[in-house]
Amino acid sequence: MNINTTMGIKSIKYGDVGGSSLTAVGDVYQETCTFVENDKTTTEHKSETSKKKIVINKSEGYKLQFSIMDPTAEELKAFKGGTVTSGVWTEADDDPQINMKMEIEPIVGKTLLLDDVSVTAKINTTYSSTGITLLEVVCVPQSKIKYKAASAS
């Protein structure tokens, strides 16, 4: 029996919407990558004079979340905007609207293809002897999701 499983992250790649070139995220923090379909909204309309009922279900989309471990200046620029000069990232004056193309390839399973996602990201740094800097990324698809079958090894 064929079992369709998706396990682990082989790579997360990003690039310009409509472009063909993709850049791999350096380090995805362990067990932070999730892709979830949001619960549907159900609206029910009932007649007061009969048993008529109208039920409307509305899809509320999907959400991709992951954290980049020890993000580079270029990753900060790509996911938060701003500028990089001589390896130093400086944040943008305002919150830019960031859209990109994403490809999530698991170690085992189907590759998730997202042609256009709206991106928000926030820095989460713990300054301690065991601390780390994470860039927590949330992507909301703006186009239909696609899955590419796993290639035979």
Side-chain angles (χ1 to χ4, degrees), residues 15-137:
D16 293 334
V17 173
S20 59
S21 176
L22 296 173
T23 302
V25 168
D27 289 298
V28 178
Y29 193 59
Q30 65 186 8
E31 299 180 21
T32 62
C33 187
T34 60
F35 183 67
V36 177
E37 183 173 8
N38 298 321
D39 291 336
K40 291 184 181 350
T41 300
T42 301
T43 304
E44 196 172 281
H45 301 280
K46 296 179 186 177
S47 170
E48 288 195 27
T49 57
S50 72
K51 292 186 179 191
K52 183 175 183 177
K53 184 181 353 177
I54 299 170
V55 178
I56 301 168
N57 291 309
K58 181 181 176 197
S59 176
E60 294 297 332
Y62 301 85
K63 184 169 29 175
L64 169 69
Q65 293 181 267
F66 60 94
S67 293
I68 300 173
M69 185 172 104
D70 193 23
T72 65
E74 292 300 327
E75 288 170 336
L76 287 165
K77 178 182 175 187
F79 289 93
K80 286 190 63 66
T83 59
V84 175
T85 306
S86 301
V88 175
W89 173 74
T90 303
E91 71 178 330
D93 290 333
D94 53 11
D95 288 327
Q97 175 64 43
I98 297 175
N99 283 64
M100 61 178 56
K101 177 180 184 174
M102 305 279 307
E103 182 179 293
I104 295 76
E105 183 180 3
I107 294 168
V108 175
K110 294 177 176 74
T111 298
L112 175 62
L113 306 172
L114 302 169
D115 293 332
D116 183 1
V117 296
S118 175
V119 177
T120 57
K122 66 180 183 179
I123 297 169
N124 180 351
T125 300
T126 302
Y127 290 101
S128 73
S129 61
T130 58
I132 192 167
T133 295
L134 298 175
L135 183 62
E136 298 173 351
V137 179

Side-chain angles (χ1 to χ4, degrees), residues 130-150:
T130 58
I132 192 167
T133 295
L134 298 175
L135 183 62
E136 298 173 351
V137 179
V138 176
C139 302
V140 177
Q142 304 299 302
S143 60
K144 292 185 177 185
I145 66 166
K146 301 173 190 175
Y147 280 103
K148 180 172 70 173

